[in-house]
Amino acid sequence: MSFNKLKFGSTIGIIGGGQLGKMMAQSAQKMGFKVIVLDPNEDSPCRYVAHQFIHANYDDEQALKELGESSDVITYEFENISSQQLKQLTENYNIPQGYQAIQLLQDRLTEKQTLKDAGTQIVPFLQIKNKQDLYQASKELGYPFIVKTRFGGYDGKGQILVENESNLDEAIDLISNQECVAEQYLDIDKEVSLTVTIGNEQQTTYFPLQENEHRNQILFKTVVPARSNKENEARKEVDKITNAIHFVGTFTVEFFIDKENNLYVNEIAPRPHNSGHYSIEACDFSQFDTHILAVTGQRLPQQIEVLKPAVMMNLLGRDLDLLENEFENHPEWHVHIYGKSQRKPDRKMGHMTLLTDDVNQTEQYMLMKFEGRDK
């Protein structure tokens, strides 16, 4: 697929004004592009780094039309937008990413079926419509297993770990609201992710394999390069995915590595991802840089150079409470504060990246700094 290269001074429309939109806009502006953002939150982080702000809901057809008429290209910062409305927009405006990936990935069942059909290695799963399906899952998958809603949910929302028969009632409550997917529980050794950008004429640029740790289902830290021998295998799995699903721009595939060192595809985020934030300081191009290059039709770098290994820590509200008074004493901490007006304990308020010659030592140092956050 090939599309026109946009000139400097062209306008990029972004659906969504959160931190990802903000960092997209910052990359776009340094390259000489103008930015318009649409978001329902008047104080969205992206508002104050955009040339123009449209205050409207994501399903506001008139506002979306205004965004389309004012933009030379449109992108999005998250996947919870109407795929049908995105499809209608693609008929009239320049949206290289299209709507297909969003349509597929909004539904966990469709996503898993597509991944299975593409030949990737995924965890065994079953569709759950009713109690009988749930009991069948307990027999086929065995305890423990995970039940996730088909639609919506992120950072651990909309999912339940069913450890034994006594937990079934909680899962029954979840499936009473909507259909779900049950997955076999893995004995996980590592969680890793691979951020990739696909550009004009199917150029593909890979970032290094990223090693992640989640706490309470929210990303806690990322170590790069990952301490794993699975990078080439992960790339091959991504190649299978991109042959099955249309992507343009930056996206991330999350993987599990079990105790036997088997790699499994977990899920796909069809936009820049939290685990790729380290790339702003640690790489010669950030995930946001390559995303903007891709959607504006520029050539991508053939490869991403890691300038220095890095440890990236998420900063939730509770982490700011714990650490913000230390920031001024640590200029080596590359701190990003997103500019959200309301601080909540589990809300992503920022992140920080430490460049290091010894990721193990730096990781231990930061774990000590974050000690007590979950108490």
Side-chain angles (χ1 to χ4, degrees):
M1 178 180 179
S2 180
F3 42 93
N4 293 333
K5 175 181 175 181
L6 296 186
K7 296 179 179 179
F8 301 134
S10 298
T11 299
I12 300 172
I14 302 175
I15 302 174
Q19 63 265 22
L20 298 178
K22 179 180 180 179
M23 288 181 273
M24 280 185 199
Q26 289 170 328
S27 282
Q29 290 199 13
K30 77 178 183 182
M31 296 180 200
F33 296 106
K34 296 178 182 176
V35 175
I36 299 177
V37 62
L38 183 152
D39 197 275
N41 177 9
E42 278 193 297
D43 293 325
S44 63
C46 191
R47 176 172 189 168
Y48 303 104
V49 297
H51 293 85
Q52 184 179 336
F53 179 74
I54 300 173
H55 180 220
N57 291 328
Y58 300 125
D59 60 356
D60 186 324
E61 291 186 6
Q62 188 57 42
L64 289 168
K65 182 179 179 182
E66 180 186 348
L67 181 72
E69 294 292 335
S70 303
S71 304
D72 295 297
V73 67
I74 294 175
T75 185
Y76 46 79
E77 69 142 11
F78 69 114
E79 56 268 43
N80 293 324
I81 56 180
S82 166
S83 59
Q84 189 57 41
Q85 285 188 310
L86 192 60
K87 181 180 180 181
Q88 291 172 0
L89 283 175
T90 61
E91 294 170 359
N92 298 297
Y93 306 109
N94 179 20
I95 308 179
Q97 292 162 276
Y99 68 92
Q100 296 93 335
I102 289 289
Q103 189 174 56
L104 279 172
L105 301 179
Q106 283 180 337
D107 181 345
R108 282 195 175 95
L109 179 62
T110 304
E111 177 184 12
K112 290 185 179 301
Q113 288 172 334
T114 302
L115 289 170
K116 183 178 180 181
D117 292 344
T120 66
Q121 180 155 295
I122 60 171
V123 177
F125 68 95
L126 291 171
Q127 182 177 1
I128 305 295
K129 295 181 178 179
N130 50 47
K131 285 186 193 178
Q132 288 69 34
D133 290 340
L134 197 60
Y135 294 133
Q136 188 63 30
S138 69
K139 293 176 182 177
E140 289 193 31
L141 302 177
Y143 293 107
F145 63 94
I146 300 172
V147 178
K148 299 179 180 180
T149 55
R150 280 185 63 176
F151 301 95
Y154 62 94
D155 287 344
K157 298 177 178 66
Q159 61 179 268
I160 292 171
L161 175 64
V162 183
E163 297 186 80
N164 50 54
E165 191 173 344
S166 64
N167 296 136
L168 282 174
D169 286 345
E170 193 177 356
I172 289 169
D173 288 341
L174 186 65
I175 65 172
S176 67
N177 295 318
Q178 64 165 289
E179 286 187 19
C180 292
V181 176
E183 297 177 8
Q184 189 176 78
Y185 179 80
L186 282 181
D187 191 6
I188 297 171
D189 181 53
K190 274 188 173 64
E191 298 175 66
V192 296
S193 58
L194 193 63
T195 295
V196 183
T197 305
I198 293 182
N200 213 350
E201 300 177 348
Q202 291 296 301
Q203 302 167 74
T204 303
T205 297
Y206 296 96
F207 285 80
L209 191 66
Q210 300 143 187
E211 179 182 334
N212 306 316
E213 179 187 337
H214 290 77
R215 293 192 179 181
N216 300 318
Q217 307 298 324
I218 302 172
L219 184 65
F220 173 60
K221 66 176 169 65
T222 296
V223 174
V224 177
R227 292 161 293 192
S228 168
N229 62 355
K230 290 293 184 179
E231 181 158 352
N232 287 337
E233 187 177 339
R235 287 190 180 194
K236 290 176 182 177
E237 293 293 274
V238 169
D239 289 343
K240 295 175 188 176
I241 292 167
T242 56
N243 286 330
I245 304 175
H246 169 83
F247 284 106
V248 170
T250 296
F251 65 98
T252 293
V253 180
E254 298 180 53
F255 299 89
F256 294 137
I257 301 174
D258 70 10
K259 297 291 187 181
E260 283 73 47
N261 203 35
N262 297 307
L263 184 77
Y264 295 88
V265 176
N266 176 28
E267 59 186 25
I268 305 166
R271 36 75 185 168
H273 190 257
N274 198 167
S275 65
H277 291 349
Y278 71 91
S279 61
I280 296 172
E281 284 86 22
C283 299
D284 55 347
F285 290 82
S286 78
Q287 64 168 342
F288 303 101
D289 295 338
T290 54
H291 181 76
I292 296 301
L293 290 173
V295 299
T296 58
Q298 320 293 314
R299 287 203 62 79
L300 298 179
Q302 290 187 344
Q303 64 182 29
I304 298 299
E305 181 180 350
V306 179
L307 304 175
K308 202 162 190 179
V311 177
M312 188 279 294
M313 309 293 298
N314 250 355
L315 293 171
L316 307 182
R318 68 180 68 193
D319 302 319
L320 287 187
D321 293 342
L322 185 68
L323 294 172
E324 64 182 320
N325 291 332
E326 291 197 47
F327 291 160
E328 64 182 37
N329 298 321
H330 292 280
E332 74 279 10
W333 296 358
H334 295 274
V335 179
H336 296 250
I337 302 300
Y338 301 146
K340 297 178 181 179
S341 57
Q342 188 175 6
R343 183 184 300 189
K344 297 178 182 178
D346 290 321
R347 192 180 192 192
K348 293 176 184 175
M349 304 300 295
H351 73 269
M352 64 180 181
T353 301
L354 284 76
L355 306 182
T356 177
D357 292 317
D358 187 334
V359 293
N360 294 320
Q361 184 180 62
T362 300
E363 179 185 40
Q364 292 306 310
Y365 170 71
M366 292 316 300
L367 290 176
M368 180 186 68
K369 287 291 183 182
F370 279 74
E371 202 170 79
R373 73 190 288 273
D374 299 319
K375 292 180 182 179

